[in-house]
Amino acid sequence: MIKDALTRLRRAQGQLTGVISMIEEGEDCVDVLQQLAAVSKALDRAGFKIVATGMRHCNAARERGEEPPMTEKELERLFLALA
């Protein structure tokens, strides 16, 4: 669901703010990188949630006999952009 993606993005936003503060305060490099990796993972998961939601919307459109908003190739390209 998009709501889940938004939750993850807000969490990542907070984590990123924390990483910036850590750098500004001269925190240990290892700690900064661990937090940055957590931000990266949160962003990736949000992106995958959005792609999954798009896939569900496209499948639902096909089942209704409608033209989906995106082709499978477009969805695949978006998915691979996150990988």
Side-chain angles (χ1 to χ4, degrees):
M1 290 177 71
I2 292 296
K3 185 178 177 183
D4 293 338
L6 283 172
T7 299
R8 290 178 187 279
L9 288 171
R10 286 187 181 105
R11 187 175 306 134
Q13 183 179 30
Q15 288 173 312
L16 185 56
T17 299
V19 169
I20 291 168
S21 293
M22 290 174 76
I23 292 170
E24 290 173 341
E25 295 168 8
E27 294 281 334
D28 182 62
C29 180
V30 173
D31 294 335
V32 170
L33 290 175
Q34 286 175 337
Q35 288 303 308
L36 193 56
V39 171
S40 179
K41 186 173 182 178
L43 290 174
D44 288 344
R45 287 174 131 353
F48 289 129
K49 279 278 190 188
I50 292 169
V51 170
T53 299
M55 289 171 58
R56 282 193 292 277
H57 284 286
C58 289
N59 285 336
R62 281 188 198 93
E63 288 175 2
R64 292 187 305 268
E66 300 171 2
E67 185 69 28
M70 298 175 73
T71 66
E72 287 181 15
K73 187 153 187 89
E74 289 171 320
L75 282 168
E76 179 183 358
R77 188 170 21 107
L78 290 174
F79 177 82
L80 292 174
L82 295 171

